[in-house]
Amino acid sequence: MTAAPFTPRLGRFCYLALNVAVVVFLLAPIAIVFVFALNPTPYIQFPPVGVSLRWFEKFFASRDFMNALRLSLEVAVMTTIAATLFGASAALALARGGLPGTRVITAIMLSPLMLPAILTGLALFQSYVLLDVGRPLWGLVLGHTLVSIPYVVRTTLAVLQNFDTRLEEAAGNLGAGPLRTYFEVTLPLTKPGVMAGAVFAFIVSFDQFPVSLFLVSPGRETLPITLFNYLKFDLDGTIGAASAVSILLAVLVVLGLDRTVGLRSYAKL
Amino acid sequence: MTKSRPPLSRRQFLATSAAAGIGVIAAPHIAHADAATLRITGWGGKWGQTMSNELIPAFEKEFKCKVETDSAFPYLPKLQASSRSAPVYDVLHTNSNEQWAALEMGIVEAKIDARQVPNIADVYPYAVSDKMVGVCIFTSAIGLGMRTDKGYGKVSSWKDLWDRAYDGVRGGYVIPVNSLGQAFLMMSGALFGKGMTDLDAAYAAMEKLKPIKLVDFTGTMEKMILSGEVGVAVIHDSGILRYDGQNQPTTFVAPSEGVLSLEQVLTLTPGTKVRELANAYVNYMLSPSVQKTLAESVWYSPANSKVKLDDKYNEKLLTTPEKVATLIQPDWKWYNARKDEIDSRVNRIFRA
């Protein structure tokens, strides 16, 4: 009796099937969103009865949705900048600073991930009320930054842990000062981690719901909050159109990053 | 001869920057300091559009104030988290069940002062009954919504919902999170037991209601009826009537035992700093012109008995004392006191 000759092919087939299943599992919800957005009926219908852009028209014509989209983008950009600056600096200090209690500080930096975000939002809301500052835009950005920093810290630390410090020593030996060494050696080599963290920060902020729930001010709401309020009263294809636009925006951000800094470096993380 | 200015020291630079920063943060507050601001809550959807496009600007113009409407749920935790002496809202607009919960927390006032709100004199008695905190400005009738194109039999009673013919196309709500579901649970106690507080009868009725499709929001139920996914369901009349004229194969049935009341209620917060303006707003919302505009915009029945609606609306909404008499008001104070126990029980029933 001989071993079955099809085993390697069967193994490859199973491997391929598993990959296809995972991809389908990941993409199916996105496909359904697009089907819902393009379906002319005011309710989810499968199979779709036609193709229409009426929900996209409604979405782009809505002042509320457009204001919400603009605000979400503004907040996401501000959050990305703030979280990247703070997170990357904190990661560097944690990895290199020789600080006492590094593990405790790292745990504290990552703690917003452990806490339900809705509690973070409520706690910040109470703080703002106590400080009598209302619900300002910077308060919303601060909330988003708080929950985004752990992603930047984590991805930057991952790169710093594999960082060859002899390169920095070599730069110093060749006459470069600490700042020049940082900008010309440390930063370029940690860029994959920092940029991956920045992408996470943008996405976390743009999709942020629980923190925003308490921190958006009346008449100035982010897209996820506007969508939630809308679907309580009007569940139609506009929700699908808004979701489709959000997905496309996320894809555009990723493609933009790929064109500017390259995505291959993220794949190593 | 000119004197040269001394260079800006680091300390001066930091102090100037800090002052500029504080100025930027405080600027919006200073800019609006001269106009009184009324902070209210409100719904989204068509209600929100009518309010923000038409009614709020008119109120702001008339009372020379600014109105800030928070339409992002949840309202109660935000109000609860804010100081009693400086609440985040001056007027809370929400449904009756939440108003009772808010009263229990001490974050809203039990009644509106009728001397400060003259239009209260014209509301139907239910709008200020002992089942009500504050004042009801509109109500919807909770009954049964159904498809007219599926060959279903005639439906006239709440009990028809238990007909086995509707297995697979029956619709209801996730009771812990939806007040229509909660009111319907109480109604089941009245239908099959000793009254609306007969929970044992209500639980037994819920068991027999399965299989049933449950949703969180009434908006979702509307679409399920429109798509035909659900054939008969608990819903408020506005959820069906708002599609009037669109040729949809749906209808609202007011059951013979009476319709449940889904009230839109306004209350004042105890710590409001603009009490006069808050009372003026409640009075405005009860005025016949505002009541007519909103009633015809969102198909809610006006609480003011003096409102004259166009025939189309008059025919279908609760606009006469006789029609208003069919309203059944749930006892939300009683319900809220038992909510945890009820939530736990109904979750077990529908999970099984």
Side-chain angles (χ1 to χ4, degrees):
Chain A
M1 211 173 130
T2 55
F6 299 111
T7 304
R9 280 178 62 188
L10 188 65
R12 269 200 301 276
F13 175 77
C14 288
Y15 179 70
L16 189 66
L18 183 66
N19 276 281
V20 169
V22 169
V23 170
V24 168
F25 178 72
L26 290 173
L27 295 182
I30 296 173
I32 289 169
V33 161
F34 278 90
V35 168
F36 185 31
L38 294 168
N39 198 354
T41 57
Y43 42 82
I44 299 168
Q45 191 172 24
F46 205 86
V49 292
V51 176
S52 166
L53 294 175
R54 65 182 286 203
W55 304 120
F56 286 91
E57 283 173 29
K58 190 175 175 186
F59 174 71
F60 285 113
S62 161
R63 194 181 57 186
D64 289 345
F65 276 127
M66 285 302 99
N67 288 341
L69 179 62
R70 195 175 304 119
L71 179 67
S72 281
L73 286 171
E74 285 170 12
V75 171
V77 168
M78 287 189 270
T79 298
T80 305
I81 293 168
T84 307
L85 282 174
F86 286 116
S89 309
L92 194 63
L94 287 168
R96 299 290 177 74
L99 302 171
T102 305
R103 282 187 179 179
V104 176
I105 299 170
T106 307
I108 292 170
M109 296 295 294
L110 301 179
S111 62
L113 285 182
M114 322 288 180
L115 196 68
I118 199 153
L119 293 184
T120 305
L122 180 61
L124 283 170
F125 173 76
Q126 282 181 310
S127 307
Y128 298 162
V129 166
L130 283 172
L131 293 169
D132 195 23
V133 293
R135 280 175 276 175
L137 180 61
W138 60 260
L140 182 63
V141 174
L142 185 65
H144 283 205
T145 304
L146 202 63
V147 293
S148 302
I149 282 176
Y151 293 95
V152 184
V153 170
R154 194 71 260 178
T155 53
T156 310
L157 275 178
V159 173
L160 284 168
Q161 273 162 5
N162 299 321
F163 190 91
D164 188 350
T165 52
R166 287 175 301 178
L167 293 169
E168 288 176 328
E169 288 165 13
N173 288 340
L174 293 169
L179 269 182
R180 192 171 178 195
T181 304
Y182 176 74
F183 281 108
E184 293 189 11
V185 178
T186 314
L187 193 59
L189 289 171
T190 54
K191 194 173 75 172
V194 176
M195 291 311 296
V199 171
F200 278 123
F202 183 89
I203 292 167
V204 165
S205 171
F206 191 70
D207 288 343
Q208 189 55 239
F209 179 76
V211 171
S212 304
L213 200 59
F214 285 95
L215 301 182
V216 292
S217 61
R220 205 173 57 191
E221 288 144 13
T222 55
L223 190 59
I225 300 293
T226 304
L227 287 173
F228 177 70
N229 288 331
Y230 187 83
L231 74 83
K232 283 196 84 165
F233 300 98
D234 297 285
L235 178 63
D236 62 25
T238 317
I239 298 287
S243 307
V245 169
S246 298
I247 291 165
L248 290 174
L249 270 173
V251 171
L252 277 176
V253 167
V254 173
L255 288 177
L257 281 167
D258 184 38
R259 293 295 296 269
T260 51
V261 291
L263 277 176
R264 279 182 202 164
S265 48
Y266 307 153
K268 294 175 192 166
L269 292 172
Chain B
M1 199 174 128
T2 55
K3 258 185 167 178
S4 63
R5 291 179 71 178
L8 194 65
S9 71
R10 185 168 159 270
R11 183 168 292 179
Q12 282 171 320
F13 172 75
L14 288 173
T16 310
S17 305
I22 291 166
V24 168
I25 291 165
H29 300 280
I30 294 164
H32 292 130
D34 52 342
T37 300
L38 180 73
R39 290 157 307 165
I40 61 171
T41 59
W43 302 142
K46 185 79 174 165
W47 171 283
Q49 284 170 18
T50 309
M51 289 295 286
S52 62
N53 294 342
E54 193 177 340
L55 300 177
I56 293 292
F59 181 81
E60 288 177 328
K61 192 175 173 192
E62 185 178 344
F63 290 91
K64 296 182 175 51
C65 66
K66 180 173 163 45
V67 177
E68 273 186 8
T69 309
D70 191 350
S71 54
F73 298 96
Y75 305 136
L76 258 53
K78 291 184 203 173
L79 192 53
Q80 199 182 7
S82 67
S83 158
R84 298 288 192 275
S85 59
V88 286
Y89 309 128
D90 301 298
V91 179
L92 178 70
H93 171 190
T94 189
N95 294 133
S96 218
N97 58 326
E98 284 204 323
Q99 293 284 9
W100 277 104
L103 182 68
E104 287 291 313
M105 295 173 202
I107 53 180
V108 298
E109 294 181 351
K111 294 289 172 192
I112 301 282
D113 186 350
R115 289 167 303 178
Q116 309 300 321
V117 182
N119 285 327
I120 280 189
D122 295 330
V123 301
Y124 288 108
Y126 80 85
V128 285
S129 74
D130 60 355
K131 298 274 179 64
M132 194 67 60
V133 178
V135 60
C136 169
I137 53 171
F138 290 96
T139 191
S140 297
I142 305 171
L144 297 171
M146 65 180 302
R147 297 281 298 196
T148 54
D149 61 342
K150 302 286 185 187
Y152 299 137
K154 184 174 162 47
V155 167
S156 59
S157 163
W158 282 105
K159 289 184 178 175
D160 291 330
L161 191 64
W162 276 262
D163 191 326
R164 295 270 67 100
Y166 300 118
D167 282 3
V169 290
R170 189 182 291 118
Y173 301 91
V174 179
I175 290 173
V177 299
N178 188 289
S179 60
L180 276 79
Q182 294 163 10
F184 173 67
L185 177 84
M186 285 189 264
M187 189 69 205
S188 305
L191 292 170
F192 297 101
K194 297 177 193 129
M196 291 185 75
T197 57
D198 189 344
L199 284 174
D200 288 335
Y203 294 144
M206 291 300 112
E207 285 282 3
K208 290 177 188 160
L209 205 55
K210 294 190 288 186
I212 183 168
K213 293 178 179 175
L214 302 176
V215 297
D216 289 353
F217 305 133
T218 50
T220 313
M221 186 61 79
E222 283 174 32
K223 302 303 174 186
M224 286 172 78
I225 296 174
L226 284 177
S227 68
E229 192 178 343
V230 156
V232 60
V234 177
I235 197 164
H236 56 122
D237 55 355
S238 340
I240 299 292
L241 298 176
R242 61 189 291 198
Y243 300 100
D244 186 76
Q246 294 181 22
N247 218 17
Q248 296 289 351
T250 56
T251 190
F252 178 76
V253 176
S256 55
E257 298 91 345
V259 289
L260 289 156
S261 176
L262 176 64
E263 297 118 349
Q264 307 299 323
V265 185
L266 297 184
T267 49
L268 266 57
T269 51
T272 175
K273 301 281 194 296
V274 287
R275 181 168 294 275
E276 204 177 324
L277 196 56
N279 278 320
Y281 174 74
V282 177
N283 199 50
Y284 177 74
M285 292 301 286
L286 285 170
S287 65
S289 62
V290 170
Q291 290 262 295
K292 180 176 162 64
T293 302
L294 276 169
E296 294 182 353
S297 166
V298 292
W299 288 90
Y300 284 172
S301 296
N304 189 325
S305 60
K306 298 279 166 51
V307 179
K308 299 283 176 237
L309 301 182
D310 293 349
D311 288 348
K312 180 172 101 170
Y313 304 95
N314 200 36
E315 186 189 321
K316 291 176 179 167
L317 295 177
L318 306 170
T319 49
T320 64
E322 295 74 32
K323 286 201 263 186
V324 166
T326 64
L327 277 174
I328 299 168
Q329 287 186 287
D331 185 344
W332 290 111
K333 186 181 181 185
W334 176 87
Y335 188 92
N336 286 346
R338 292 155 184 80
K339 188 171 184 306
D340 290 344
E341 168 205 331
I342 295 171
D343 289 354
S344 167
R345 184 66 183 270
V346 294
N347 280 339
R348 281 207 305 275
I349 290 171
F350 289 111
R351 208 166 31 225

